[in-house]
Amino acid sequence: MKSNLFDKTEKRLLWTLTGLCLLLGLAACSDDKDVAGGTSDDAGIVAITNKEVAGVSQKGPFLVGSSVTVQEMDGRTFVQTGNSFRASVKSDQGDFVVKGVNLASQYALLEVNGYYRNEVTGEKSEGMLALRAVTDLTDRSHVNVNLLTHLETGRVLALVQEAGLSFADAKAQAQREVLAAFNIADDLESTEDLDLFTGKGGAILIALSVLMQGDGSAADLSERVARASISIADSGTWLGADKTEVADWAFLVENDYSENSNEKNLLNRVRQNVELWMSGVEAPPFEAYVYKFWTAEYNLGNCDEGNFYEVRENTNPLSKLYGTKFVCDEDRGRWILAGRRELQGVDYYGVTDARNDAVYKVLRIGDVRWMTENLRYKFPVTNTRNKSLCYDDEELNCKAYGMLYDYESALKACPDGFRLPTYNEVMNLLQQYGGAGKEAADRLMSMDGFGAQLGGYAVRANWFAWEDDAGYTDMNKGVAIWISTQDYPTGWNVLWIDSTVAEVRSAPGASAYVRCVVDEPNQEKTKVYSADKYMIDPRDNASYRFTEIAGKAWLAENMHYKGDSSHEPCLLQDGECFYTWNDAVGSDSVGGVCPEGWHLPSREEWNELLSLVAGRIEGDADYIHYYDINFKLSDLKDWYEGDYLLPDSNDVYDFTVKPVGEFYYMMDGTGSYFDGGVAAFWGSSDSVRIISDYVEFNMPNDTLEVGHMMEMDGGYSASGQWNNKRARLSVRCVRNEN
């Protein structure tokens, strides 16, 4: 008898002859021929008679109506014979029953095709997916179909048909290889017995489902699974760039040391989705397998008491985070970015950036307290004056290295109580670490101190272009960190660190990283109030910060409600909304700009606020001037370009008035013109005033309908006055009192 390990040419000829035998019904063709898995004498073929095959189909669970097919396989060649039995998924839990199954052999291929529940989004898939399972029905009537059964199917057939293994041995080997492809070494029951919602197998199935789905569509998932299946069938392992892309994505969404709250964490949402589908039954602990996957792909190894505080690099050259350093963190017992490490034996403390809940470690070096990692604050899209970039436009790089800023944006990037380091402070830092040169570079990159990471920098190919034209360079070679020009105003400079040197360099037109330092003069200053609360406008779901001043809740940012299909009051200019007085107040038929429960402040309410903050007040009923406000209601950095030390009074009420401008209405009725560099807000009070300046334009009765406004110019002072109702100004709202 010839060996079972015959070559592919002989096998293709055998499969062709076998197919002809089946077609022609020639019994003689089967006499003593070599077959996959053994000869006809020892194949142990068992006919299946009138069997009921049940199970659950899960990626997430397949939806009711998805098709289920049991296909007969030849017991010797494991080729489909064409004989099949069909049914449908019975519910949105993915369960099915196929009755009256009659097969010539015990080997069958099950396939489920349909829509499924997406664990990542929590929604039904927008496209269909097909999953398979190959099984031996001799002693089983329950067969679950899932990602593991699908990924092992091609490998099982290859091992039987090409390597001559028995079906049982092929199944066992294929299961081990598929699990190993996801860096899982756990022993499991048969994949056909695994259920998404129970036990270790369920945890692994959820993890695989999340990893393969990612943030892609059903079509993306189908393509990724197909490529992985082909690779595993051919080699017994998952090869190719897909696997590393999945690891990078998993790192981004899995890290529990993210600045996002637990409610925002994607894996927490996956858990909530799964538990909702199962009426609150606790989902198995799948998160650990997601963590194991990306740490193994980065070749980090174990993190345990034997290597706490050890630093290792991601050595996967296909990863977008190749070369990034991770540290084995004792508190969490896991690998975390070295830039977010817990410092061992170093006098540090933590601070939280209230703008995005990012947490930073602060370390005193000499007389200056430095953040020990680069800033990760992203300017909102509504801020058209400032820019923040991720290296190579990849969000992963922002997670690993922080964000890149042009110089003017860097001046405004640090959170309250922090600022850019000055030239003298950077020079003192270099002296603390051994002076400019390699010694300082090595020590500044140490993970138990300053912790510099070589994240490169960006330059603008076109002086007038921003991120669309950014050229990124020197990743893993060096890093550029902005220096303030407060005490060295001759140019734009950065602290440059690479493997050979640490020094100050000129960097006009660059986008570099930001290391904030504590603004010592402001260290003892606390805000009178803080706009750390939010309200939601139900009309468009926009959120607004508000602060409570003198017992009233005031919005701490301008309204940007654009109206509805029947009325659009907003005149949009540079991302800001400007309104006429009538639009701001509203009428019986059309609502005002402020949402329900809030109102446009009256003249008296504006006067109450401004009287609280002003040092001196002059004027009369028509015009009141409030002096010596001294930036108590605004941030100096929003009003004046350049690098200035902030006054102690800087925006202490967290009101954040910005010079977005206003639209004056021309006295001759020819229209409006824009006046920048000021801030002006409507009040709800109105009047009819005699305006002497309007006489020459023959205004009726020399009068004009006017509304109250508050105008701030320069941040130092403000005025309460009257303005033409057809002018367009900004709006701040006050919450109604109970």
Side-chain angles (χ1 to χ4, degrees), residues 328-377:
C328 179
D329 182 77
E330 180 180 16
D331 289 344
R332 301 176 180 89
R334 67 191 341 253
W335 292 103
I336 67 171
L337 278 174
R340 301 179 197 178
R341 65 214 174 284
E342 299 290 347
L343 302 176
Q344 183 180 19
V346 177
D347 183 18
Y348 71 92
Y349 64 93
V351 296
T352 300
D353 187 343
R355 299 170 299 180
N356 62 355
D357 294 331
V359 179
Y360 302 92
K361 295 293 184 292
V362 175
L363 173 67
R364 179 176 290 279
I365 304 173
D367 294 329
V368 178
R369 287 179 284 179
W370 291 78
M371 284 186 178
T372 61
E373 55 188 297
N374 297 338
L375 194 68
R376 303 189 298 275
Y377 175 67

Short mmCIF file of all heavy atoms in Angstrom, two decimals, residues 328-377:
data_model
loop_
_atom_site.label_atom_id
_atom_site.label_comp_id
_atom_site.label_asym_id
_atom_site.label_seq_id
_atom_site.Cartn_x
_atom_site.Cartn_y
_atom_site.Cartn_z
N CYS A 328 6.41 47.47 32.69
CA CYS A 328 5.61 46.53 33.47
C CYS A 328 5.20 47.23 34.76
O CYS A 328 6.03 47.48 35.64
CB CYS A 328 6.41 45.26 33.76
SG CYS A 328 5.54 44.05 34.76
N ASP A 329 3.93 47.57 34.87
CA ASP A 329 3.43 48.40 35.96
C ASP A 329 3.00 47.54 37.15
O ASP A 329 2.18 46.63 37.00
CB ASP A 329 2.25 49.24 35.46
CG ASP A 329 1.71 50.17 36.52
OD1 ASP A 329 2.35 51.19 36.76
OD2 ASP A 329 0.66 49.84 37.11
N GLU A 330 3.53 47.85 38.32
CA GLU A 330 3.25 47.04 39.51
C GLU A 330 1.81 47.17 39.95
O GLU A 330 1.16 46.18 40.31
CB GLU A 330 4.18 47.46 40.66
CG GLU A 330 3.93 46.65 41.94
CD GLU A 330 4.85 47.06 43.07
OE1 GLU A 330 5.46 48.16 42.97
OE2 GLU A 330 4.97 46.30 44.04
N ASP A 331 1.25 48.38 39.96
CA ASP A 331 -0.10 48.59 40.46
C ASP A 331 -1.13 47.84 39.63
O ASP A 331 -2.09 47.28 40.16
CB ASP A 331 -0.44 50.08 40.47
CG ASP A 331 0.32 50.83 41.54
OD1 ASP A 331 0.86 50.16 42.45
OD2 ASP A 331 0.38 52.07 41.48
N ARG A 332 -0.94 47.84 38.31
CA ARG A 332 -1.92 47.21 37.44
C ARG A 332 -1.55 45.78 37.06
O ARG A 332 -2.38 45.02 36.58
CB ARG A 332 -2.08 48.04 36.16
CG ARG A 332 -2.53 49.47 36.41
CD ARG A 332 -2.57 50.25 35.11
NE ARG A 332 -3.00 51.61 35.28
CZ ARG A 332 -2.19 52.63 35.54
NH1 ARG A 332 -0.89 52.41 35.66
NH2 ARG A 332 -2.64 53.85 35.67
N GLY A 333 -0.28 45.41 37.25
CA GLY A 333 0.16 44.08 36.87
C GLY A 333 0.07 43.84 35.38
O GLY A 333 -0.27 42.74 34.93
N ARG A 334 0.40 44.85 34.60
CA ARG A 334 0.25 44.75 33.14
C ARG A 334 1.22 45.72 32.47
O ARG A 334 1.78 46.60 33.11
CB ARG A 334 -1.18 45.09 32.74
CG ARG A 334 -1.52 46.53 33.01
CD ARG A 334 -2.97 46.92 32.90
NE ARG A 334 -3.77 46.01 32.17
CZ ARG A 334 -4.25 46.21 30.93
NH1 ARG A 334 -4.00 47.29 30.32
NH2 ARG A 334 -4.98 45.36 30.31
N TRP A 335 1.37 45.54 31.15
CA TRP A 335 2.20 46.45 30.37
C TRP A 335 1.42 47.71 30.06
O TRP A 335 0.28 47.65 29.61
CB TRP A 335 2.66 45.79 29.08
CG TRP A 335 3.61 44.66 29.28
CD1 TRP A 335 3.33 43.34 29.21
CD2 TRP A 335 5.00 44.76 29.61
NE1 TRP A 335 4.45 42.59 29.48
CE2 TRP A 335 5.49 43.44 29.72
CE3 TRP A 335 5.86 45.82 29.83
CZ2 TRP A 335 6.82 43.17 30.03
CZ3 TRP A 335 7.19 45.55 30.14
CH2 TRP A 335 7.65 44.25 30.24
N ILE A 336 2.04 48.87 30.31
CA ILE A 336 1.44 50.14 29.94
C ILE A 336 2.50 50.97 29.22
O ILE A 336 3.69 50.68 29.27
CB ILE A 336 0.92 50.91 31.17
CG1 ILE A 336 2.08 51.36 32.07
CG2 ILE A 336 -0.08 50.06 31.95
CD1 ILE A 336 1.65 52.30 33.18
N LEU A 337 2.05 51.99 28.51
CA LEU A 337 2.98 52.88 27.82
C LEU A 337 3.97 53.46 28.82
O LEU A 337 3.58 53.90 29.91
CB LEU A 337 2.24 54.02 27.14
CG LEU A 337 1.62 53.72 25.78
CD1 LEU A 337 0.80 54.92 25.31
CD2 LEU A 337 2.71 53.41 24.76
N ALA A 338 5.23 53.45 28.45
CA ALA A 338 6.25 53.97 29.36
C ALA A 338 6.01 55.43 29.68
O ALA A 338 6.36 55.91 30.75
CB ALA A 338 7.64 53.77 28.76
N GLY A 339 5.40 56.16 28.75
CA GLY A 339 5.11 57.57 29.00
C GLY A 339 4.07 57.78 30.07
O GLY A 339 3.87 58.88 30.54
N ARG A 340 3.34 56.70 30.43
CA ARG A 340 2.32 56.82 31.47
C ARG A 340 2.63 55.92 32.64
O ARG A 340 1.77 55.34 33.27
CB ARG A 340 0.95 56.48 30.88
CG ARG A 340 0.64 57.42 29.74
CD ARG A 340 -0.68 57.11 29.13
NE ARG A 340 -0.71 57.76 27.82
CZ ARG A 340 -1.70 57.66 26.98
NH1 ARG A 340 -2.74 56.95 27.28
NH2 ARG A 340 -1.66 58.27 25.83
N ARG A 341 3.90 55.80 32.92
CA ARG A 341 4.34 54.84 33.91
C ARG A 341 4.08 55.36 35.32
O ARG A 341 3.88 56.54 35.53
CB ARG A 341 5.84 54.62 33.77
CG ARG A 341 6.63 55.91 34.08
CD ARG A 341 7.86 56.04 33.25
NE ARG A 341 8.50 57.31 33.46
CZ ARG A 341 8.08 58.45 32.96
NH1 ARG A 341 6.99 58.48 32.25
NH2 ARG A 341 8.72 59.58 33.17
N GLU A 342 4.12 54.46 36.24
CA GLU A 342 4.21 54.83 37.65
C GLU A 342 5.71 54.95 37.96
O GLU A 342 6.48 54.04 37.69
CB GLU A 342 3.58 53.76 38.54
CG GLU A 342 2.11 53.53 38.27
CD GLU A 342 1.26 54.71 38.72
OE1 GLU A 342 1.79 55.57 39.45
OE2 GLU A 342 0.09 54.76 38.34
N LEU A 343 6.13 56.07 38.49
CA LEU A 343 7.55 56.29 38.73
C LEU A 343 7.96 55.64 40.05
O LEU A 343 7.29 55.79 41.07
CB LEU A 343 7.84 57.79 38.78
CG LEU A 343 7.45 58.55 37.51
CD1 LEU A 343 7.68 60.03 37.71
CD2 LEU A 343 8.23 58.05 36.32
N GLN A 344 9.05 54.90 40.01
CA GLN A 344 9.51 54.15 41.18
C GLN A 344 10.53 54.97 41.96
O GLN A 344 11.54 55.40 41.43
CB GLN A 344 10.13 52.83 40.74
CG GLN A 344 10.58 51.96 41.91
CD GLN A 344 11.20 50.67 41.43
OE1 GLN A 344 11.59 50.56 40.29
NE2 GLN A 344 11.28 49.70 42.31
N GLY A 345 10.25 55.20 43.22
CA GLY A 345 11.20 55.88 44.08
C GLY A 345 11.43 57.32 43.69
O GLY A 345 12.50 57.89 43.96
N VAL A 346 10.46 57.98 43.04
CA VAL A 346 10.62 59.36 42.60
C VAL A 346 9.48 60.19 43.18
O VAL A 346 8.34 59.72 43.27
CB VAL A 346 10.61 59.45 41.06
CG1 VAL A 346 10.71 60.89 40.61
CG2 VAL A 346 11.78 58.64 40.49
N ASP A 347 9.78 61.40 43.59
CA ASP A 347 8.79 62.28 44.20
C ASP A 347 7.93 62.89 43.10
O ASP A 347 8.30 63.90 42.50
CB ASP A 347 9.51 63.37 45.00
CG ASP A 347 8.51 64.28 45.71
OD1 ASP A 347 7.35 63.88 45.85
OD2 ASP A 347 8.92 65.39 46.10
N TYR A 348 6.80 62.30 42.82
CA TYR A 348 5.90 62.80 41.78
C TYR A 348 4.49 62.85 42.32
O TYR A 348 4.17 62.29 43.37
CB TYR A 348 5.94 61.90 40.55
CG TYR A 348 5.28 60.57 40.77
CD1 TYR A 348 3.94 60.38 40.48
CD2 TYR A 348 5.99 59.50 41.30
CE1 TYR A 348 3.32 59.16 40.71
CE2 TYR A 348 5.39 58.29 41.54
CZ TYR A 348 4.05 58.12 41.24
OH TYR A 348 3.45 56.92 41.47
N TYR A 349 3.60 63.51 41.61
CA TYR A 349 2.18 63.48 41.94
C TYR A 349 1.40 63.53 40.63
O TYR A 349 1.94 63.81 39.56
CB TYR A 349 1.79 64.62 42.87
CG TYR A 349 1.96 66.02 42.28
CD1 TYR A 349 0.90 66.66 41.64
CD2 TYR A 349 3.17 66.70 42.40
CE1 TYR A 349 1.05 67.94 41.12
CE2 TYR A 349 3.34 67.97 41.89
CZ TYR A 349 2.26 68.60 41.25
OH TYR A 349 2.42 69.84 40.74
N GLY A 350 0.12 63.22 40.70
CA GLY A 350 -0.71 63.17 39.51
C GLY A 350 -1.61 64.38 39.40
O GLY A 350 -2.08 64.93 40.41
N VAL A 351 -1.86 64.81 38.17
CA VAL A 351 -2.82 65.89 37.90
C VAL A 351 -3.74 65.43 36.78
O VAL A 351 -3.36 64.63 35.92
CB VAL A 351 -2.12 67.20 37.49
CG1 VAL A 351 -1.28 67.75 38.62
CG2 VAL A 351 -1.28 67.01 36.23
N THR A 352 -4.96 65.94 36.79
CA THR A 352 -5.95 65.60 35.78
C THR A 352 -6.31 66.84 34.98
O THR A 352 -6.62 67.89 35.56
CB THR A 352 -7.21 65.02 36.42
OG1 THR A 352 -6.87 63.83 37.15
CG2 THR A 352 -8.25 64.65 35.36
N ASP A 353 -6.26 66.73 33.66
CA ASP A 353 -6.67 67.81 32.77
C ASP A 353 -8.20 67.74 32.66
O ASP A 353 -8.74 66.80 32.08
CB ASP A 353 -6.01 67.64 31.40
CG ASP A 353 -6.27 68.81 30.47
OD1 ASP A 353 -7.21 69.59 30.75
OD2 ASP A 353 -5.56 68.94 29.45
N ALA A 354 -8.90 68.72 33.21
CA ALA A 354 -10.37 68.69 33.25
C ALA A 354 -10.99 68.74 31.87
O ALA A 354 -12.15 68.38 31.70
CB ALA A 354 -10.88 69.87 34.09
N ARG A 355 -10.22 69.14 30.86
CA ARG A 355 -10.80 69.25 29.51
C ARG A 355 -11.07 67.90 28.88
O ARG A 355 -12.00 67.76 28.07
CB ARG A 355 -9.86 70.07 28.62
CG ARG A 355 -9.62 71.49 29.13
CD ARG A 355 -8.51 72.17 28.36
NE ARG A 355 -7.23 71.46 28.52
CZ ARG A 355 -6.09 71.85 27.95
NH1 ARG A 355 -6.09 72.94 27.19
NH2 ARG A 355 -4.97 71.18 28.15
N ASN A 356 -10.26 66.89 29.19
CA ASN A 356 -10.47 65.56 28.60
C ASN A 356 -10.19 64.42 29.58
O ASN A 356 -10.09 63.27 29.17
CB ASN A 356 -9.59 65.40 27.35
CG ASN A 356 -8.10 65.48 27.67
OD1 ASN A 356 -7.70 65.75 28.80
ND2 ASN A 356 -7.27 65.24 26.66
N ASP A 357 -10.06 64.76 30.87
CA ASP A 357 -9.83 63.77 31.93
C ASP A 357 -8.51 63.03 31.79
O ASP A 357 -8.31 61.98 32.40
CB ASP A 357 -10.97 62.74 31.99
CG ASP A 357 -12.29 63.35 32.41
OD1 ASP A 357 -12.25 64.34 33.16
OD2 ASP A 357 -13.35 62.86 31.97
N ALA A 358 -7.58 63.56 30.99
CA ALA A 358 -6.26 62.94 30.88
C ALA A 358 -5.49 63.15 32.18
O ALA A 358 -5.54 64.22 32.79
CB ALA A 358 -5.49 63.54 29.71
N VAL A 359 -4.78 62.10 32.61
CA VAL A 359 -4.02 62.14 33.86
C VAL A 359 -2.53 62.18 33.52
O VAL A 359 -2.05 61.39 32.70
CB VAL A 359 -4.34 60.93 34.74
CG1 VAL A 359 -3.51 60.97 36.03
CG2 VAL A 359 -5.83 60.89 35.07
N TYR A 360 -1.80 63.09 34.16
CA TYR A 360 -0.37 63.24 33.93
C TYR A 360 0.37 63.17 35.26
O TYR A 360 -0.13 63.59 36.30
CB TYR A 360 -0.06 64.58 33.26
CG TYR A 360 -0.76 64.80 31.94
CD1 TYR A 360 -1.99 65.44 31.88
CD2 TYR A 360 -0.19 64.35 30.75
CE1 TYR A 360 -2.62 65.64 30.68
CE2 TYR A 360 -0.82 64.55 29.53
CZ TYR A 360 -2.05 65.20 29.51
OH TYR A 360 -2.68 65.38 28.30
N LYS A 361 1.58 62.64 35.20
CA LYS A 361 2.47 62.65 36.36
C LYS A 361 3.31 63.93 36.30
O LYS A 361 3.76 64.34 35.24
CB LYS A 361 3.37 61.42 36.34
CG LYS A 361 2.60 60.11 36.50
CD LYS A 361 1.99 60.01 37.89
CE LYS A 361 1.30 58.68 38.09
NZ LYS A 361 0.11 58.52 37.26
N VAL A 362 3.52 64.52 37.48
CA VAL A 362 4.32 65.75 37.59
C VAL A 362 5.50 65.47 38.50
O VAL A 362 5.35 64.91 39.59
CB VAL A 362 3.46 66.91 38.13
CG1 VAL A 362 4.32 68.15 38.35
CG2 VAL A 362 2.31 67.21 37.18
N LEU A 363 6.69 65.88 38.06
CA LEU A 363 7.93 65.60 38.78
C LEU A 363 8.72 66.90 38.94
O LEU A 363 8.87 67.66 37.99
CB LEU A 363 8.76 64.59 37.98
CG LEU A 363 10.18 64.29 38.48
CD1 LEU A 363 10.12 63.56 39.81
CD2 LEU A 363 10.91 63.45 37.44
N ARG A 364 9.18 67.16 40.16
CA ARG A 364 10.01 68.34 40.38
C ARG A 364 11.44 68.03 39.95
O ARG A 364 12.06 67.08 40.44
CB ARG A 364 9.99 68.77 41.85
CG ARG A 364 10.89 69.99 42.12
CD ARG A 364 10.78 70.46 43.55
NE ARG A 364 9.50 71.07 43.84
CZ ARG A 364 9.18 72.34 43.53
NH1 ARG A 364 10.05 73.11 42.92
NH2 ARG A 364 8.00 72.81 43.84
N ILE A 365 11.95 68.82 39.02
CA ILE A 365 13.33 68.71 38.55
C ILE A 365 13.97 70.07 38.79
O ILE A 365 13.62 71.05 38.13
CB ILE A 365 13.42 68.32 37.07
CG1 ILE A 365 12.65 67.01 36.82
CG2 ILE A 365 14.88 68.19 36.63
CD1 ILE A 365 12.54 66.64 35.35
N GLY A 366 14.86 70.16 39.76
CA GLY A 366 15.39 71.46 40.16
C GLY A 366 14.29 72.26 40.82
O GLY A 366 13.62 71.81 41.74
N ASP A 367 14.07 73.47 40.32
CA ASP A 367 13.04 74.34 40.90
C ASP A 367 11.75 74.34 40.08
O ASP A 367 10.84 75.13 40.36
CB ASP A 367 13.57 75.79 40.98
CG ASP A 367 14.73 75.92 41.95
OD1 ASP A 367 14.74 75.16 42.94
OD2 ASP A 367 15.61 76.77 41.71
N VAL A 368 11.67 73.48 39.09
CA VAL A 368 10.51 73.49 38.18
C VAL A 368 9.80 72.15 38.26
O VAL A 368 10.44 71.09 38.31
CB VAL A 368 10.95 73.77 36.72
CG1 VAL A 368 9.75 73.73 35.79
CG2 VAL A 368 11.66 75.12 36.64
N ARG A 369 8.48 72.18 38.27
CA ARG A 369 7.68 70.96 38.25
C ARG A 369 7.21 70.68 36.82
O ARG A 369 6.43 71.46 36.25
CB ARG A 369 6.50 71.08 39.22
CG ARG A 369 6.94 71.00 40.68
CD ARG A 369 5.79 71.15 41.63
NE ARG A 369 5.36 72.54 41.73
CZ ARG A 369 4.34 72.95 42.49
NH1 ARG A 369 3.65 72.07 43.18
NH2 ARG A 369 4.02 74.22 42.55
N TRP A 370 7.69 69.57 36.26
CA TRP A 370 7.45 69.20 34.87
C TRP A 370 6.44 68.06 34.77
O TRP A 370 6.45 67.14 35.59
CB TRP A 370 8.74 68.70 34.21
CG TRP A 370 9.80 69.73 33.99
CD1 TRP A 370 10.66 70.25 34.91
CD2 TRP A 370 10.14 70.34 32.74
NE1 TRP A 370 11.50 71.16 34.33
CE2 TRP A 370 11.21 71.23 32.99
CE3 TRP A 370 9.64 70.23 31.44
CZ2 TRP A 370 11.78 72.00 31.99
CZ3 TRP A 370 10.21 70.99 30.44
CH2 TRP A 370 11.27 71.86 30.71
N MET A 371 5.60 68.12 33.73
CA MET A 371 4.88 66.91 33.35
C MET A 371 5.89 65.90 32.82
O MET A 371 6.82 66.28 32.10
CB MET A 371 3.84 67.20 32.26
CG MET A 371 2.59 67.90 32.75
SD MET A 371 1.36 68.04 31.41
CE MET A 371 0.01 68.82 32.30
N THR A 372 5.71 64.63 33.16
CA THR A 372 6.67 63.61 32.73
C THR A 372 6.23 62.89 31.46
O THR A 372 6.72 61.81 31.15
CB THR A 372 6.88 62.58 33.85
OG1 THR A 372 5.63 61.94 34.14
CG2 THR A 372 7.42 63.24 35.09
N GLU A 373 5.31 63.47 30.72
CA GLU A 373 4.91 62.95 29.42
C GLU A 373 4.36 64.09 28.58
O GLU A 373 4.02 65.16 29.09
CB GLU A 373 3.86 61.84 29.56
CG GLU A 373 2.63 62.26 30.35
CD GLU A 373 1.71 61.10 30.63
OE1 GLU A 373 1.20 60.53 29.65
OE2 GLU A 373 1.50 60.76 31.80
N ASN A 374 4.29 63.86 27.29
CA ASN A 374 3.83 64.90 26.38
C ASN A 374 2.32 65.09 26.48
O ASN A 374 1.57 64.15 26.74
CB ASN A 374 4.19 64.54 24.94
CG ASN A 374 5.68 64.44 24.72
OD1 ASN A 374 6.46 65.02 25.49
ND2 ASN A 374 6.11 63.72 23.71
N LEU A 375 1.90 66.31 26.22
CA LEU A 375 0.49 66.67 26.31
C LEU A 375 -0.33 65.93 25.25
O LEU A 375 0.12 65.77 24.11
CB LEU A 375 0.34 68.18 26.13
CG LEU A 375 -1.01 68.78 26.53
CD1 LEU A 375 -1.21 68.70 28.04
CD2 LEU A 375 -1.10 70.23 26.06
N ARG A 376 -1.56 65.52 25.62
CA ARG A 376 -2.43 64.79 24.71
C ARG A 376 -3.74 65.54 24.44
O ARG A 376 -4.72 64.94 24.03
CB ARG A 376 -2.75 63.40 25.28
CG ARG A 376 -1.55 62.56 25.58
CD ARG A 376 -1.93 61.13 25.94
NE ARG A 376 -2.75 61.03 27.13
CZ ARG A 376 -2.28 60.98 28.37
NH1 ARG A 376 -0.97 61.07 28.58
NH2 ARG A 376 -3.09 60.85 29.40
N TYR A 377 -3.77 66.83 24.69
CA TYR A 377 -5.01 67.58 24.52
C TYR A 377 -5.25 67.89 23.04
O TYR A 377 -4.39 68.43 22.36
CB TYR A 377 -4.96 68.89 25.31
CG TYR A 377 -6.18 69.77 25.07
CD1 TYR A 377 -7.43 69.37 25.52
CD2 TYR A 377 -6.06 70.96 24.37
CE1 TYR A 377 -8.55 70.15 25.28
CE2 TYR A 377 -7.16 71.76 24.15
CZ TYR A 377 -8.41 71.35 24.60
OH TYR A 377 -9.51 72.13 24.36
#
